[in-house]
Amino acid sequence: MSTPLLQVQGLVKRFGGLTATDRLELSLAAGETHALIGPNGAGKTTVMGQLTGELLPDAGRVLYDGQDITRWPVPQRALAGIARSYQITQLLHGFSVLENVMLVVQARSGHSFGAWTPVHRQRALTAPALQALAQAGLAERAHDDVMALAHGEHRQLELAMALAMQPRLLLLDEPLAGMSQGESARMVDLLQGLKGRYTMLLVEHDMQAVFSLADRVSVLVYGRAIACGTPAEVQADPAVRSAYLGDDHG
Ligand SMILES: Nc1ncnc2c1ncn2[C@@H]1O[C@H](COP(=O)(O)OP(=O)(O)OP(=O)(O)O)[C@@H](O)[C@H]1O
């Protein structure tokens, strides 16, 4: 069996007396879509933060492509291909959708394009930015001001910006949050189209979406993974049903 793209081993994160991540084990094969679910406060966002490098664990290791990245800072992980898509509050207003994504491409490229002619520079940034927008279903909005986007399109732009990082591991933090039914269905379709091309870790409260998208699901309760398996296995697990899916409540 090939090395998993992501391995989380014995991860622990404490906030004072609270153990938000409790000896977590997680493994994602390359190309897998893995959902992390659990009730409010279970520790899902805290895990995401430790994968991006925004939070440092108190114990345990994070291995990415076989390398120990536990202490790597955020930019190093991003350049290695770990991208997080979550609600971005700092879009550049007054700039187009395309220009906002081009800035991500420029940051990702790691150089200033100083020696390039404007035409070459423009092309080097535009083509990958347009490709990311197309993958996120926003190509036709490329030249509109970001302010003109509807909520669902805003979330698509966040996905495009994560894709512009050319990730191998895509961390999706509640991509359906606040969406209408129609917008959710569109986003699920888009994510369905990305399946297999990226390794994805999905945190999401919409169970219908989770069970339709994920190859495997890990269930977190009080920071601990109480179950991990296919959507069918997890839905049938008695511990999951009583702790999370509300079996006890009919
Ligand atoms: N910076 C922090 N300082 C102190 N406690 C924190 C901090 N961040 C999270 N917590 C606590 O850690 C626990 C896990 O929080 P976390 O946000 O990771 O849960 P979650 O599963 O993402 O919840 P939700 O589904 O509501 O987003 C919660 O009890 C939360 O209050």
Side-chain angles (χ1 to χ4, degrees):
M1 215 178 87
S2 60
T3 312
L5 184 67
L6 178 73
Q7 283 171 284
V8 170
Q9 300 175 335
L11 206 66
V12 175
K13 179 69 191 173
R14 294 186 202 92
F15 295 115
L18 177 88
T19 305
T21 309
D22 192 358
R23 289 162 286 163
L24 181 69
E25 303 281 327
L26 197 62
S27 172
L28 269 70
E32 175 180 351
T33 299
H34 196 112
L36 193 57
I37 66 170
N40 289 327
K44 305 177 295 291
T45 307
T46 303
V47 172
M48 286 293 207
Q50 290 170 93
L51 297 179
T52 57
E54 287 152 284
L55 288 173
L56 277 182
D58 293 303
R61 299 199 306 166
V62 178
L63 303 182
Y64 174 70
D65 208 11
Q67 260 190 307
D68 187 339
I69 64 160
T70 316
R71 303 274 145 195
W72 284 20
V74 175
Q76 193 180 357
R77 296 184 200 212
L79 288 174
I82 300 178
R84 179 182 191 171
S85 174
Y86 58 123
Q87 291 196 266
I88 297 164
T89 45
Q90 287 180 319
L91 290 169
L92 286 181
H93 296 163
F95 286 84
S96 72
V97 169
L98 178 62
E99 284 164 335
N100 272 272
V101 182
M102 283 166 73
L103 281 174
V104 179
V105 177
Q106 178 161 21
R108 172 72 177 85
S109 71
H111 59 82
S112 67
F113 291 93
W116 295 40
T117 67
V119 172
H120 280 101
R121 183 174 65 210
Q122 189 76 7
R123 206 174 293 152
L125 297 178
T126 309
L130 278 173
Q131 196 188 354
L133 283 171
Q135 281 185 292
L138 266 190
E140 73 281 9
R141 299 290 257 149
H143 299 289
D144 295 333
D145 189 298
V146 280
M147 291 295 279
L149 295 182
H151 176 74
E153 291 173 321
H154 225 227
R155 308 307 312 268
Q156 286 171 251
L157 175 58
E158 288 151 13
L159 177 63
M161 290 170 99
L163 292 171
M165 290 298 294
Q166 298 174 18
R168 290 178 70 196
L169 175 61
L170 193 51
L171 305 173
L172 298 162
D173 204 346
E174 301 198 29
L176 308 181
M179 283 190 166
S180 69
Q181 236 176 0
E183 288 172 335
S184 287
R186 180 161 172 70
M187 182 59 93
V188 169
D189 273 355
L190 288 167
L191 296 177
Q192 204 69 256
L194 300 179
K195 254 174 81 77
R197 291 154 71 183
Y198 300 91
T199 307
M200 297 193 273
L201 183 65
L202 169 69
V203 166
E204 181 50 56
H205 285 285
D206 179 334
M207 286 306 117
Q208 208 184 336
V210 162
F211 292 134
S212 79
L213 283 168
D215 301 308
R216 289 194 306 149
V217 179
S218 288
V219 184
L220 218 57
V221 176
Y222 294 120
R224 299 194 72 168
I226 62 161
C228 175
T230 64
E233 286 166 350
V234 159
Q235 286 175 87
D237 188 312
V240 175
R241 296 188 73 93
S242 78
Y244 182 44
L245 295 175
D247 205 33
D248 289 348
H249 312 287

